[in-house]
Amino acid sequence: GENVEQHPSTLSVQEGDSAVIKCTYSDSASNYFPWYKQELGKRPQLIIDIRSNVGEKKDQRIAVTLNKTAKHFSLHITETQPEDSAVYFCAASQVRNKIDMRFGAGTRLTVQP
Amino acid sequence: DAGITQSPRYKITETGRQVTLMCHQTWSHSYMFWYRQDLGHGLRLIYYSAAADITDKGEVPDGYVVSRSKTENFPLTLESATRSQTSVYFCASSEAPGSAQHFGDGTRLSIL
């Protein structure tokens, strides 16, 4: 099955700096890559996603890049704010005869004011 | 998103007991999912359902049973709870496979 690794496990940045979180996956058939933000005690919420036919997607301060050849994808947050502090999860998904959705272990991002 | 609700929010039970976690969605999404979340493992898929009466195993299905008699409900049952099943359980739904999943608020389950 698919295996997703996420780095770093913790990340601390100063307000206004950029933050980058990286994920690698093992199954070349994976074709959908969402990113979720989870605040303490809350549900995971989708913040951005990308499909395998696209190399980059941007939504305001958030962007995701995908390198299918190297099997890795990254989340970029620019101009970080204290409210960006949360745990971020990447995931890789593919559908062959069944759905296989695997999440990374998460990155705890702290934005220092 | 109020469209997907889980109950109960918190549950404490004993080993060997049967416990059912409920999930209800109002979006008429075809796909529903159950995940467990444990420190260091992120979210792991337990079971999913593509439609009423169609279910399939995920990454960690052992010890769990699901059913989907109605599109809007997807209960998860632990037939004989074990301590290793102590976790936070999230239900999610989506319109299609490989599309955005919307999560419920979760159920924190403790098995003593």
Side-chain angles (χ1 to χ4, degrees):
Chain A
E2 174 66 277
N3 183 46
V4 177
E5 294 193 356
Q6 184 172 344
H7 299 280
S9 57
T10 61
L11 179 60
S12 182
V13 300
Q14 290 294 125
E15 183 176 359
D17 287 349
S18 295
V20 180
I21 302 169
K22 299 181 179 180
C23 288
T24 60
Y25 62 99
S26 60
D27 191 339
S28 57
S30 291
N31 55 13
Y32 175 64
F33 307 91
W35 284 88
Y36 287 86
K37 175 184 180 182
Q38 187 178 28
E39 297 176 359
L40 189 63
K42 304 285 188 180
R43 68 179 77 189
Q45 292 195 303
L46 180 75
I47 55 172
I48 197 166
D49 55 10
I50 193 167
R51 299 191 183 278
S52 57
N53 57 348
V54 176
E56 184 174 359
K57 184 176 178 181
K58 191 172 181 181
D59 183 4
Q60 299 182 337
R61 296 186 297 109
I62 295 172
V64 57
T65 58
L66 172 64
N67 183 326
K68 283 209 70 179
T69 303
K71 294 204 283 263
H72 66 71
F73 56 113
S74 300
L75 177 72
H76 304 254
I77 306 174
T78 59
E79 300 171 23
T80 54
Q81 302 165 3
E83 50 265 39
D84 293 329
S85 296
V87 178
Y88 292 80
F89 293 96
C90 63
S93 173
Q94 55 90 7
V95 182
R96 281 188 278 223
N97 55 334
K98 61 180 293 179
I99 293 174
D100 188 7
M101 178 83 152
R102 303 294 176 106
F103 282 77
T107 296
R108 181 173 299 280
L109 173 64
T110 303
V111 180
Q112 307 281 358
Chain B
D1 298 11
I4 184 162
T5 54
Q6 293 184 235
S7 61
R9 291 294 315 279
Y10 304 91
K11 176 76 177 178
I12 300 173
T13 191
E14 297 176 336
T15 57
R17 301 258 184 166
Q18 181 180 82
V19 59
T20 296
L21 310 184
M22 305 301 292
C23 180
H24 175 81
Q25 55 107 353
T26 59
W27 290 308
S28 299
H29 284 168
S30 295
Y31 286 79
M32 296 187 76
F33 306 83
W34 274 107
Y35 292 90
R36 60 177 290 172
Q37 185 173 37
D38 306 289
L39 274 175
H41 287 281
L43 290 140
R44 291 182 291 175
L45 182 62
I46 303 170
Y47 269 96
Y48 70 94
S49 169
D53 297 322
I54 300 175
T55 63
D56 205 347
K57 296 177 181 180
E59 182 185 354
V60 289
D62 294 343
Y64 303 95
V65 175
V66 294
S67 62
R68 189 138 179 239
S69 57
K70 292 184 177 181
T71 304
E72 60 267 30
N73 297 324
F74 190 38
L76 175 75
T77 297
L78 289 66
E79 293 193 305
S80 179
T82 64
R83 289 199 180 91
S84 64
Q85 294 177 307
T86 291
S87 187
V88 180
Y89 290 85
F90 285 98
C91 178
S93 71
S94 68
E95 289 181 310
S99 68
Q101 293 187 15
H102 303 273
F103 285 80
D105 285 329
T107 295
R108 184 174 294 275
L109 177 63
S110 297
I111 300 164
L112 306 178

